[in-house]
Amino acid sequence: MAEDVKSAQTPAAQIDDDRPVHVEEPLPPEVQAPLAEFEGREPPSPQWFKDAIARAPERVFVESLGSRLEVLTWGQVGKPGLLFVHGNSAHADWWSFIAPFFADDYRVASMSLAGMGASDWRERYSFTDFADDAEAVSRAVGLYEGGRKPTYIGHSFGGGQVFFAAVRHPDRMHAAIMVDTGFGPPPEEMARRAAEMERIRNIPTTDRPSRVYPTMEAALLRFRLMPPQPAGNPFIADFIARRSLKTVVQADGSTGFTWRFDPNMWAKLDRERAMSGQFGQEGGVSTPMVHIYGAKSRIVEHRKAGAPSPFPPGMIEIEIPDAHHHIMIDQPLALVAAIRALLAAWPPHASPA
């Protein structure tokens, strides 16, 4: 999520399928501004959603590498642990209507990565640090207390972090579930998009930060998903969008709203170890892993077009019908059912804590 943004890739096969750059071409209204028709009002929502968000999490901060990280938790310590990780420019609440479905049987945590949500911003970001942060969070909130290591579940960029941690630190997790995680388009498309980026000059930077909106309603009108897609369930998009904003006081003393993520995260991200052709080939992958993807996702389009992927051969993949990249918005209950089924029957052999 971000205002006026879409995805693009730098000229390397890496996990940045939802990297933000500003859109110049027109998009359909339902993609350009999926919440505009509601004019700041909350869209009507079904009872299952109301019941899920009524199970409010405990909100805490965990210290890692000198930063305070936002963490949401559900369920009792002592049950098997689940760690949910969000995508780029997102936050822990992207999972807060999904996680309650697991809280009766698991100790569940959803973290905001450094530079996103209410977590601290850093001068530098790296996959190695994100992996250490996930471990620190898991230890701090009791995900190891259920008799086995936690299962990590990550969406998009967060799925990239889960995959990286699973390859580099298989001793830290029971299993890894990636949700619509991509590794960049084919080389010819990457070259074309790299050229496009050279022509784009209005990406938020230190001297050109994210826009401040005078009201929550004005900000919601600018919310859209990246990669661009319709919001399958507007009530979920609205819930996410409201929690993507923070209040700021401007130089003239007036109050406004802006997005919570660090607009310079991509400029600060060390992508040396994020290349799919590197960290996926270090002696194979021993962590059990599964990929869940949307049938209409751009990830599928890239894979069919020959995009590189470090996923191990023969890895289980599950398609969610009628879902784009943001499966938790398009088909949340189908995603819950898929994860529940996996946790009940997979992996076949439990790993010791």
Side-chain angles (χ1 to χ4, degrees), residues 109-339:
S110 176
M111 65 181 293
S112 289
L113 295 169
M116 306 182 214
S119 294
D120 286 346
W121 296 4
R122 289 174 173 162
E123 292 302 313
R124 173 184 172 276
Y125 302 97
S126 74
F127 276 47
T128 300
D129 290 348
F130 287 141
D132 290 344
D133 292 340
E135 170 73 356
V137 166
S138 297
R139 296 284 181 188
V141 300
L143 300 190
Y144 279 88
E145 303 303 314
R148 72 182 189 197
K149 295 172 287 187
T151 294
Y152 285 25
I153 303 167
H155 173 245
S156 193
F157 182 80
Q161 308 313 317
V162 169
F163 179 78
F164 180 85
V167 173
R168 291 290 299 276
H169 304 287
D171 57 305
R172 294 181 178 178
M173 69 182 74
H174 176 65
I177 300 174
M178 282 77 67
V179 180
D180 219 78
T181 298
F183 296 87
E188 61 274 13
E189 185 176 348
M190 286 190 286
R192 178 180 64 80
R193 293 191 178 191
E196 287 179 357
M197 288 192 65
E198 290 300 319
R199 298 194 297 270
I200 297 173
R201 300 300 179 202
N202 59 340
I203 302 173
T205 61
T206 302
D207 60 345
R208 193 185 300 113
S210 297
R211 184 178 305 173
V212 176
Y213 299 94
T215 64
M216 172 73 76
E217 292 72 21
L220 292 175
L221 291 175
R222 303 297 295 184
F223 175 87
R224 72 160 170 258
L225 300 167
M226 58 182 187
Q229 67 163 77
N233 287 295
F235 59 91
I236 297 179
D238 179 85
F239 174 87
I240 288 170
R242 291 176 188 274
R243 288 154 182 80
S244 300
L245 293 158
K246 64 181 178 181
T247 304
V248 294
V249 178
Q250 303 187 77
D252 62 1
S254 63
T255 299
F257 295 86
T258 192
W259 309 113
R260 295 202 292 171
F261 62 87
D262 182 352
N264 298 296
M265 197 276 286
W266 281 101
K268 299 176 182 178
L269 180 63
D270 178 3
R271 294 184 289 275
E272 180 182 356
R273 299 297 295 168
M275 305 305 177
S276 64
Q278 293 178 351
F279 67 77
Q281 299 177 359
E282 299 174 354
V285 179
S286 61
T287 304
M289 56 178 58
V290 168
H291 184 221
I292 301 173
Y293 64 92
K296 297 180 178 180
S297 172
R298 291 183 57 196
I299 302 299
V300 179
E301 296 175 5
H302 290 164
R303 292 272 295 276
K304 290 180 177 179
S309 172
F311 286 155
M315 183 184 71
I316 297 172
E317 295 197 84
I318 299 172
E319 180 179 280
I320 303 297
D322 198 29
H324 293 269
H325 176 63
H326 301 92
I327 300 175
M328 67 280 288
I329 295 177
D330 295 339
Q331 296 291 344
L333 297 182
L335 178 60
V336 167
I339 296 174

Side-chain angles (χ1 to χ4, degrees), residues 58-129:
E58 180 183 2
R59 295 175 181 267
V60 299
F61 285 88
V62 170
E63 185 86 11
S64 177
L65 304 176
S67 301
R68 296 173 73 247
L69 304 177
E70 178 186 33
V71 185
L72 284 54
T73 62
W74 298 258
Q76 296 178 2
V77 173
K79 294 185 177 182
L82 300 180
L83 177 67
F84 286 89
V85 187
H86 61 77
N88 177 48
S89 304
H91 47 80
D93 272 303
W94 275 68
W95 292 109
S96 63
F97 51 93
I98 298 290
F101 285 95
F102 302 91
D104 289 341
D105 300 311
Y106 297 90
R107 172 62 170 172
V108 185
S110 176
M111 65 181 293
S112 289
L113 295 169
M116 306 182 214
S119 294
D120 286 346
W121 296 4
R122 289 174 173 162
E123 292 302 313
R124 173 184 172 276
Y125 302 97
S126 74
F127 276 47
T128 300
D129 290 348

